[in-house]
Amino acid sequence: MSIDTTDRRLIEATQSGLPLVPAPYAEIAAGLGLDESEVMTRLQAMQDSGVIRRIAVAPNHYALGMTANGMTVWDVKDAAALDLGAQIGTLDFVSHCYLRPRSLPDWPYNLFAMVHGKTRDEVAAKRAEIRALLGDALRSNDILYSTRILKKTGLRLGKG
Amino acid sequence: MTAPDETDRRILNRLQEGFPISPRPFADVAAELGLDEDDLIARLARLKETRLITRFGPFYDAAAMGGAFCLCAMQVPEDDFDRVTDLVNAHPEVAHNYQRDHALNMWFVLATETKAGIGEVAKRIEAETGLTVLQFPKEHEFFIGFRVAA
C-alpha cells in the first residue's frame, strides 16, 4: 500500500500516541481539518494493509516486574532455521523471534528470540527449553541480558 | 510507582490485543471490561504517567510504508558509553536502544522511511562515534502473539 500526504499527516499526528479523550479520532480529525469518519476510514485501511500493525498498548515489562529480559541467540543449520524459528515462535514466553544474517567471525548466530521473566533464573530455564527444542540443529548459542533501556520511542516519521 | 491493581492488569491485557476504530472506542472497551468510560480513560492516563505503559496508539510498520527496520549492534568502550549513547539516541531514526551484557553492548533499532536510509544513518553513526555498526536486518519474522501477561 502506498500512503498519500493525508495518511502521512495522520501518521505524524498519531505516532506518539492517541489522545486519552472519549472521542480520540474526532480530536485527531479536528487537529488535521478532516472529518472523524475520514480519519477512521484511513486508519482502518492502513490497519488492513499492515501499515498499522495494531492499535494497542505497549506495556513496560520492567514496571510489570518482568525485569529480566534476555535476547537469546542461536546458531542453527540454515536448512532447519525456518522450521525451528516457527517452533520457537509458538512458545508463550517468547515475545519476538527473527531470522537474521550472521556477521562472521564475530557473530555466528542466525535466530534471535526475546525472552522475558521476573528473574534471570526464570529466563535461563526458558532458554533451556528452547535449547532442548533445537536439538542436533544447534551449533552454539548465547544470551544477552538487557541491563538498561537507553531509548524507547518507536517509529518517528521525519517531516517528509 | 503505583503497582497496577487487578483492573489495571485486565486493561493492559485487553489493550495489548488491539483497540477499536470507532467513534467512542474507550466506551466500547470499557463495556467489555465492565468499567465506566471515564474510569478507563483515567486509569490509562495514570498508567502512562507512571510509565507502566510505554506507548498507546497505532504501531506503524516502516517496512509496509516502503521503509525499513534494522537491528544494529556496537561494541562501545565502557568509559565512553554515555557519550556514545547520546550520539546514537540523538538520531530520530533510533526507535529504541538497549544496553546488553556482551562485548557487543549496545543494541538499537533503526526505523527509516526508505530502505537506503538504514545504511545512511548507520554510516553517520559510525562517523560520529568512530565505532563499527553491525547490521542485522530481519530475513524472516516468525509469527508471535503480541501479549505479555500483565
Side-chain angles (χ1 to χ4, degrees), chain B residues 4-60:
Chain B
D5 67 16
E6 196 48 43
T7 302
D8 292 333
R9 289 178 183 275
R10 285 171 55 222
I11 292 169
L12 288 171
N13 285 333
R14 169 60 186 83
L15 288 184
Q16 286 184 74
E17 291 177 357
F19 187 68
I21 300 173
S22 65
R24 297 293 287 269
F26 294 102
D28 296 343
V29 172
E32 264 181 57
L33 295 173
L35 303 171
D36 290 338
E37 181 187 41
D38 289 349
D39 186 29
L40 175 61
I41 290 174
R43 282 175 178 271
L44 283 169
R46 180 172 49 75
L47 290 168
K48 266 187 97 165
E49 201 175 305
T50 56
R51 298 179 51 80
L52 279 155
I53 289 175
T54 49
R55 289 178 62 209
F56 168 59
F59 284 69
Y60 289 100

Side-chain angles (χ1 to χ4, degrees), chain A:
Chain A
M1 166 175 176
S2 62
I3 55 169
D4 64 18
T5 54
T6 304
D7 289 330
R8 173 176 287 276
R9 290 171 62 221
L10 187 50
I11 293 170
E12 284 172 3
T14 55
Q15 62 191 348
S16 62
L18 289 180
L20 296 175
V21 297
Y25 304 116
E27 178 159 315
I28 293 161
L32 296 174
L34 301 171
D35 290 340
E36 178 188 36
S37 62
E38 181 175 2
V39 164
M40 290 196 298
T41 302
R42 285 177 176 272
L43 288 173
Q44 189 65 57
M46 287 196 278
Q47 183 159 281
D48 292 345
S49 70
V51 170
I52 293 176
R53 297 170 70 108
R54 67 196 190 286
I55 302 175
V57 149
N60 179 342
H61 293 162
Y62 289 84
L64 289 168
M66 310 284 273
T67 52
N69 296 271
M71 183 171 75
T72 67
V73 292
W74 311 86
D75 176 17
V76 302
K77 295 172 185 169
D78 289 330
L82 278 177
D83 178 45
L84 291 169
Q87 290 183 48
I88 292 173
T90 65
L91 300 171
D92 62 6
F93 51 80
V94 172
S95 66
H96 304 82
C97 185
Y98 297 99
L99 178 68
R100 302 184 187 278
R102 298 178 181 86
S103 185
L104 297 172
D106 302 325
W107 190 261
Y109 311 111
N110 56 343
L111 281 180
F112 291 58
M114 294 300 313
V115 177
H116 304 273
K118 292 196 186 330
T119 64
R120 287 197 179 190
D121 282 350
E122 190 182 322
V123 172
K126 291 169 175 172
R127 177 186 176 200
E129 277 187 54
I130 298 176
R131 190 189 296 119
L133 185 151
L134 296 177
D136 291 344
L138 177 63
R139 286 187 288 236
S140 63
N141 72 102
D142 201 349
I143 184 166
L144 287 71
Y145 287 102
S146 66
T147 50
R148 198 154 43 122
I149 301 177
L150 303 170
K151 185 177 186 183
K152 188 164 185 177
T153 54
L155 172 66
R156 287 285 187 279
L157 276 188
K159 298 289 176 191

